[in-house]
Amino acid sequence: MDAIVLLREDHKTGEKLFKRFEKTSDDDTAERRRIADEVVEELTVHAWIEEKFFYPAAREAAPDTTDHILESIEEHHAVVWTLSEIKDMDPGDERFKAKMSVLMEQVRHHVEEEEQDWFPEVRKVMGRNRLVELGGELEAGKKQAPRDPPAVPSADSK
């Protein structure tokens, strides 16, 4: 599978999880926790393989995408920070749903920029063979990727 197809599939998986979360009721905290745990794992793996394999290859092949890539890395940083908070948060906490909503907004914005603004440019300059090769690297990378975001200090611990 080519790298961009693989990343788009990941994006679809994330969106399906978001839609499931949005359909939950406020009293269904157990389901919210299950979905949030899946979101944490999926997005942690996805961000890791993009940063470790895809972004460096895209930057080398399409130097004009450097600004997009650097912005994407910063977006990942914000997302991973939020994931680390969600991971340890009680789904009954009054801020849990709000935090998930902010995460979903961030990720949807990030996905839209990637898919519309710079994936087409990367596809054009990399070509099919390189994208298929890179897709194999991404698939292999998923097996070694961390499943949990790194811990970040909470505001309460200061």
Side-chain angles (χ1 to χ4, degrees):
M1 175 181 312
D2 99 21
I4 291 174
V5 171
L6 184 144
L7 295 174
R8 284 181 186 261
E9 289 297 317
D10 281 1
H11 293 166
K12 287 178 190 171
T13 298
E15 183 59 30
K16 286 177 188 170
L17 290 169
F18 294 165
K19 287 187 184 312
R20 274 182 48 209
F21 187 89
E22 289 169 333
K23 289 178 183 174
T24 61
S25 63
D26 287 341
D27 62 343
D28 199 353
T29 57
E31 179 65 3
R32 284 188 175 171
R33 176 78 272 157
R34 280 190 294 276
I35 296 167
D37 289 344
E38 286 184 62
V39 166
V40 167
E41 182 173 334
E42 289 290 331
L43 293 181
T44 300
V45 169
H46 180 80
W48 191 84
I49 64 169
E50 276 190 330
E51 289 185 26
K52 181 141 178 90
F53 302 102
F54 186 74
Y55 291 170
R59 190 173 183 180
E60 181 181 329
D64 290 349
T65 65
T66 295
D67 287 344
H68 289 295
I69 291 167
L70 294 174
E71 182 180 327
S72 290
I73 290 169
E74 294 308 317
E75 289 171 348
H76 280 185
H77 177 74
V79 164
V80 168
W81 181 281
T82 305
L83 291 172
S84 70
E85 293 179 336
I86 288 169
K87 178 179 79 105
D88 297 324
M89 194 174 210
D90 182 331
D93 186 303
E94 67 178 356
R95 293 176 54 215
F96 188 80
K97 181 181 174 187
K99 195 169 288 286
M100 281 293 293
S101 294
V102 168
L103 173 75
M104 291 184 288
E105 288 173 14
Q106 290 174 321
V107 171
R108 285 171 170 152
H109 167 79
H110 174 79
V111 166
E112 182 180 334
E113 283 188 338
E114 279 187 345
E115 291 188 358
Q116 292 180 6
D117 294 347
W118 63 278
F119 277 5
E121 187 176 343
V122 170
R123 177 172 295 291
K124 187 170 43 178
V125 298
M126 275 197 171
R128 175 133 179 86
N129 290 342
R130 177 63 181 120
L131 284 170
V132 168
E133 175 187 319
L134 185 55
E137 292 174 32
L138 295 178
E139 285 182 43
K142 281 187 172 198
K143 294 177 181 133
Q144 66 185 33
R147 295 323 197 229
D148 287 322
V152 295
S154 71
D156 298 335
S157 66
K158 292 181 180 175

